[in-house]
Amino acid sequence: MPDAVLLVIGAVIGAALVIVLLLTRRLARGSRDLGSEEERATYRTLHTARRAAADLRKSGATDLARAARHVRALLGSRVVALVGPGGEIVFDGPATGLTETARTIADQVAAAGRRQVYSRQRGSSEDGEAVGAPILVDGAVWGVVIAFADPVRAPLVRATGEVAEWFAGQLELGQLDSSRAALAEAELRALRAQISPHFIYNALTAIASYITTDPPRARELVLEFADFTRYSFRRHGEFTTLADELRSIHSYLELERARFGDRLTVRLRIAPETLTTVIPYLAVQPLVENAVKHGLEPGERGGRLTIASEDLGAHTEITVEDDGAGMDPERARALLSGAESDHVGLRNVDLRLRRLYGEGIVVETAIGAGTLVRIRVPRSQPEHETVAR
């Protein structure tokens, strides 16, 4: 064989070896970047648990089936059965002929209220062994986790008990989410109920007074009344934007100005960059209504209402101020504590803000010196959805 051919073959083989070495080093480096085998195993477990959590909190039949798949991955058992509160059973894995066995195990575990291990001798030979653990929610058995294996070893027994407790925790969190949603809806219903029939009567009376003297103005007020009621009684969304809330406040104040005339002066000092701030629905409007009803309306001269917003970096600060009657600072504290039943809207807004952000409203007031109400909300709230108008 000519020397030239040998040189070419040697060069090709050498290049191939270099490529193999480079690929090996890259793969090894990539493996190190992903962490050790223990770290990757931890990640896989946490990832599976996170995916299972969403399904566990829903607990419908379809969600239970998906949860069973995740639970089986966590336990590494041959078959997993989840038994729900209505006795429904969902399996993941080859479960032919296991339904009655699973039902018997579930009944016994629920009756005992504690973890149970079932050996081959206690069941039919083809069923193998199993461990069942109760899912306890508020002290009652909600359901049962059953893991089939051959054989059942001590680590699986402990893991099944831990998964059942974790399952119970997810269900309790799901109930908490539902309770919070129900509480939020109840609070909004309470706010809607505070829309005074007296205000509605006055608004319609003011509109009626313009029908013959100024029909275009009456038409405008009817539209403002429709916008105000549509926003106040909308059925979706716990959050809105400051811009949308201000539109509704504009409609409300137009109706009040039709009644007050020149006795009501409104001043807005709104920083444009704060208009997109996400705020709880009906967080500012009740403060404005409170200022008009309790601050300005009692006086014959009326007064001035100032609504302002300011960008404080991480927060938006919103203030509602009137130069009306004011009140004793001790009474303001009593209103926020719930000791007095007046100004329910003020108390409601304070409770909602505290529940959401840990910080409520600040009231600065004195008798005869007007009232200033201040709230602060975070500028960034990606977890809160809004419904654009």
Side-chain angles (χ1 to χ4, degrees):
M1 182 178 292
D3 292 341
V5 174
L6 290 175
L7 288 173
V8 171
I9 294 174
V12 170
I13 294 174
L17 289 174
V18 170
I19 292 172
V20 169
L21 287 172
L22 289 174
L23 289 175
T24 302
R25 290 183 60 187
R26 175 163 296 186
L27 288 173
R29 185 167 59 251
S31 178
R32 288 195 301 271
D33 291 342
L34 292 175
S36 65
E37 182 59 35
E38 291 79 4
E39 291 170 333
R40 291 196 294 273
T42 300
Y43 168 78
R44 287 194 297 268
T45 300
L46 293 175
H47 180 67
T48 301
R50 180 186 63 80
R51 295 181 63 187
D55 297 325
L56 295 178
R57 292 189 190 185
K58 299 172 186 175
S59 301
T62 303
D63 303 308
L64 275 179
R66 288 198 296 264
R69 182 172 65 251
H70 298 311
V71 170
R72 183 185 174 207
L74 288 171
L75 295 177
S77 58
R78 178 170 60 88
V79 181
V80 158
L82 293 183
V83 184
E88 65 274 23
I89 303 176
V90 295
F91 289 94
D92 190 74
T96 304
L98 291 180
T99 300
E100 290 305 317
T101 301
R103 194 176 305 281
T104 300
I105 292 174
D107 291 343
Q108 293 177 1
V109 170
R114 63 179 183 273
R115 189 177 57 196
Q116 300 281 332
V117 178
Y118 297 85
S119 65
R120 186 185 301 275
Q121 288 74 25
R122 299 183 62 177
S124 59
S125 59
E126 66 270 22
D127 293 338
E129 298 183 358
V131 54
I135 302 167
L136 300 174
V137 178
D138 295 330
V141 178
W142 181 93
V144 177
V145 177
I146 304 171
F148 293 89
D150 194 9
V152 169
R153 301 186 185 278
L156 179 61
V157 175
R158 292 194 298 268
T160 303
E162 293 294 332
V163 165
E165 292 185 10
W166 175 72
F167 199 150
Q170 295 303 317
L171 288 171
E172 289 175 346
L173 287 174
Q175 292 177 355
L176 178 60
D177 289 342
S178 299
S179 298
R180 290 178 61 184
L183 175 62
E185 181 60 27
E187 289 171 339
L188 291 180
R189 285 199 301 268
L191 278 178
R192 292 184 181 109
Q194 298 311 307
I195 297 177
S196 170
H198 184 61
F199 161 73
I200 294 176
Y201 172 79
N202 287 337
L204 294 177
T205 300
I207 292 171
S209 69
Y210 283 98
I211 289 177
T212 55
T213 59
D214 192 347
R217 177 61 172 159
R219 190 182 309 112
E220 291 175 2
L221 292 175
V222 167
L223 295 176
E224 299 289 3
F225 184 77
D227 283 344
F228 172 76
T229 53
R230 185 185 302 113
Y231 181 81
S232 298
F233 291 98
R234 76 179 195 180
R235 301 297 302 171
H236 50 265
E238 188 184 348
F239 294 88
T240 186
T241 63
L242 178 59
D244 276 353
E245 188 97 344
L246 288 174
R247 290 190 190 101
S248 178
I249 290 170
H250 168 80
S251 297
Y252 168 79
L253 291 175
E254 283 298 304
L255 293 165
E256 289 290 42
R257 267 200 281 235
R259 186 164 63 94
F260 276 79
D262 295 336
R263 293 191 302 122
L264 175 60
T265 302
V266 178
R267 183 172 64 179
L268 297 178
R269 294 190 290 108
I270 306 297
E273 62 271 20
T274 65
L275 289 173
T276 57
T277 300
V278 174
I279 64 172
Y281 167 60
L282 291 181
V284 182
Q285 182 173 301
L287 306 182
V288 174
E289 295 179 28
N290 183 78
V292 173
K293 180 179 178 181
H294 297 286
L296 302 180
E297 188 171 358
E300 293 184 1
R301 65 178 182 87
R304 183 176 64 193
L305 175 71
T306 302
I307 304 171
S309 67
E310 183 181 0
D311 181 4
L312 299 182
H315 292 80
T316 291
E317 183 176 271
I318 304 166
T319 58
V320 177
E321 183 179 8
D322 68 80
D323 61 356
M327 70 177 79
D328 186 288
E330 290 299 324
R331 181 163 182 250
R333 279 190 283 271
L335 290 172
L336 294 181
S337 67
E340 293 193 25
S341 59
D342 204 2
H343 300 259
V344 177
L346 207 66
R347 164 75 171 162
N348 194 304
V349 172
D350 182 66
L351 287 175
R352 293 169 65 214
L353 290 174
R354 290 186 184 280
R355 174 174 60 82
L356 290 166
Y357 310 123
E359 179 182 359
I361 66 177
V362 176
V363 179
E364 300 175 11
T365 186
I367 297 176
T371 301
L372 182 146
V373 180
R374 177 184 293 110
I375 67 175
R376 292 200 318 165
V377 298
R379 286 298 306 276
S380 177
Q381 301 182 60
E383 72 277 16
H384 294 153
E385 296 182 356
T386 63
V387 178
R389 293 180 63 189

